[in-house]
Amino acid sequence: MTTQDNQKQLENRVLGVTFAGWALDAMDFMCFALITPVLIRTLGMSHGKAGAITSAALFTSALGGWVAGVLADRYGRVRVLQWVVLWFAAFSALCGFATNADQLLVLRGLQGFGFGGEWAVGAALISEMVRPENRGRTMGIVQSGWSVGWGCAILLVGGVFIVFPDSIGWRVVLWFGAVPALLVVYMRHKLPESPVFVKAKQASVQPPSPGAIFAPGLRRNTLLGCLMTFGLQGGYFAVQGWLPTYLANVRGFSMGHTALDLCVVIVGSFSGNLSHGYLSDRIGRRITFIGFALCAALAIVLYMLIPVGHLGLTLMALPLGFFTSGVYGGVGAILAELFPTLLRASGQGFTYSFGRGMGAVFPAIVGGISAYLSLGMAIAVFASAAYALAAIAVAFMKAPRRDELTNEQPDDNRQRQSHLRSERPA
């Protein structure tokens, strides 16, 4: 077997692990959203308490993403990825043993640290293991794992509650959160450390401090990365957090029809992530991201405000999912190329987690504003503005020079030269 074949096998193994990890994270997150009505009835919690539990997990995931990124830059990608996956799996399963809402609040908050860390470390690992000219489509594949996990959550919750009563069914669903622990067994035997990270670590006299991402040479990248992820995730949370309620209460959809539209959104999301990743390698990171973000803003306005019938709205759910979720397909590659190797995980972890933590307030803002505007108008205004903000942030980013992409040789990858020329600002 040639060296190229061995490299390809290694890339596929890393891709499989990061894809599976992200899909399982999504499955757990969406499962909790789906069982929330059962938790309210079974544990006697208020809607406010249920919302606080979800918010706690999102906020701790923001902190966890940065901390895990810092640790990955110091101790290695694969080692820290094992830590965060085990943490996530353990506390996900422990949530199934909670006896009251306060216990669940604490356990979901602790679980959030692993949830946030998995993306940050996994994204740094896969971005360093693949050639830069394939980085976009690879990260698009990884990001599409969210759609797969979302679909699995619907199937899992539906299947469990057919077999078990509500009182035990929600526990069984949460116990499935232990499944990611099996990934660690595979990682221990199949995944070596990132060669790019090892080489950079050996060449470094002293590891940079976590605060180095705010140094003058990187401050602009960090701030624009935060602005991009803030707009991106704020818009996404505003749409997905209120979409079921909008369909049921504003459009008068039945539960079955609402579920059908959500499935259409998932299909659009999966295809959108793959398409975004492919296009970002072909025509450039910035132009692809900006196009998807602006189309997402337009799709939201049209979906929420055009007076079409049920069938028309179901058809419009496909482009809604394609652009609002598909825009995520380029995030990993963009963030990876904003930071040098020894700060890549902490930079990606901080910027992505900042966006998640700050974007988590958008559903609450939409809910508050809907007292003065219609729910559809509130979603359209704030979500479309958020996606537009993300597009503006990326428009001001400077494309990396070819010698700044640490995992390619100076005399290789001629395709990348033309790619970077198309990315460089006028």
Side-chain angles (χ1 to χ4, degrees):
M1 186 176 292
T2 66
T3 302
Q4 187 175 6
D5 291 336
N6 289 331
Q7 177 62 26
K8 186 64 176 178
Q9 284 192 358
L10 178 58
E11 290 179 6
N12 289 337
R13 288 201 296 268
V14 176
L15 175 60
V17 167
T18 51
F19 178 92
W22 193 230
L24 289 168
D25 280 5
M27 186 181 76
D28 176 86
F29 183 82
M30 299 310 299
C31 277
F32 191 84
L34 292 169
I35 65 173
T36 295
V38 178
L39 292 173
I40 291 172
R41 293 195 304 269
T42 304
L43 297 181
M45 70 173 72
S46 65
H47 286 80
K49 176 68 78 170
I53 293 173
T54 299
S55 295
L58 286 173
F59 283 118
T60 55
S61 72
L63 179 60
W66 187 28
V67 171
V70 171
L71 293 175
D73 282 338
R74 184 171 293 271
Y75 299 109
R77 292 25 174 152
V78 174
R79 180 186 297 181
V80 177
L81 185 59
Q82 294 177 39
W83 297 348
V84 296
V85 169
L86 283 175
W87 181 284
F88 172 84
F91 282 101
S92 294
L94 286 173
C95 286
F97 294 97
T99 58
N100 57 57
D102 291 332
Q103 290 180 8
L104 195 57
L105 175 67
V106 173
L107 291 171
R108 287 296 288 185
L110 291 170
Q111 182 256 15
F113 283 100
F115 175 75
E118 196 281 329
W119 188 91
V121 182
L125 176 63
I126 189 64
S127 67
E128 292 174 353
M129 297 296 265
V130 299
R131 296 184 298 275
E133 68 269 22
N134 295 329
R135 185 178 286 149
R137 71 193 73 183
T138 302
M139 294 305 298
I141 293 171
V142 172
Q143 201 67 48
S144 70
W146 184 272
S147 305
V148 173
W150 190 355
C152 290
I154 294 174
L155 295 176
L156 174 62
V157 172
V160 165
F161 282 97
I162 289 175
V163 177
F164 297 96
D166 288 1
S167 59
I168 190 65
W170 68 268
R171 297 183 185 276
V172 174
V173 169
L174 293 178
W175 288 334
F176 268 91
V179 171
L182 299 176
L183 284 176
V184 176
V185 178
Y186 183 86
M187 283 189 284
R188 288 181 65 87
H189 298 286
K190 296 292 184 180
L191 294 189
E193 186 53 81
S194 161
V196 176
F197 172 77
V198 172
K199 183 178 179 180
K201 190 78 170 175
Q202 291 172 345
S204 175
V205 177
Q206 181 177 349
S209 69
I213 61 174
F214 299 104
L218 288 175
R219 186 183 302 138
R220 173 190 173 95
N221 289 354
T222 301
L223 294 178
L224 288 175
C226 288
L227 196 62
M228 175 189 74
T229 57
F230 169 57
L232 180 67
Q233 302 203 69
Y236 181 80
F237 290 150
V239 174
Q240 299 303 330
W242 286 103
L243 185 57
T245 302
Y246 171 79
L247 292 174
N249 294 351
V250 178
R251 295 286 189 160
F253 278 27
S254 66
M255 288 300 294
H257 200 162
T258 297
L260 173 63
D261 273 39
L262 292 178
C263 288
V264 174
V265 170
I266 292 172
V267 172
S269 170
F270 180 81
S271 56
N273 278 296
L274 296 180
S275 300
H276 190 159
Y278 175 79
L279 289 173
S280 74
D281 285 337
R282 295 288 294 178
I283 65 176
R285 310 278 191 245
R286 290 190 306 161
I287 190 171
T288 303
F289 184 95
I290 292 170
F292 265 73
L294 294 180
C295 286
L298 178 61
I300 292 166
V301 171
L302 295 178
Y303 187 88
M304 296 295 167
L305 301 182
I306 287 184
V308 297
H310 286 190
L311 177 60
L313 207 62
T314 299
L315 295 175
M316 290 172 63
L318 187 64
L320 181 75
F322 185 89
F323 290 112
T324 59
S325 297
V327 69
Y328 276 86
V331 172
I334 289 174
L335 292 179
E337 293 170 2
L338 289 181
F339 301 98
T341 299
L342 291 182
L343 287 170
R344 179 167 289 133
S346 53
Q348 284 184 285
F350 178 81
T351 52
Y352 193 85
S353 299
F354 177 91
R356 177 184 286 154
M358 297 300 293
V361 306
F362 267 65
I365 293 174
V366 169
I369 296 298
S370 65
Y372 306 95
L373 302 174
S374 68
L375 179 59
M377 179 64 76
I379 296 172
V381 169
F382 282 92
S384 61
Y387 279 106
L389 177 65
I392 292 171
V394 173
F396 281 93
M397 288 180 181
K398 184 179 179 181
R401 296 192 313 269
R402 187 162 164 267
D403 59 355
E404 293 173 334
L405 297 172
T406 57
N407 60 336
E408 64 180 342
Q409 299 300 319
D411 58 344
D412 289 338
N413 301 313
R414 295 182 183 274
Q415 292 180 7
R416 184 65 185 169
Q417 285 183 307
S418 60
H419 168 71
L420 289 177
R421 281 197 296 271
S422 68
E423 288 281 84
R424 204 168 276 126

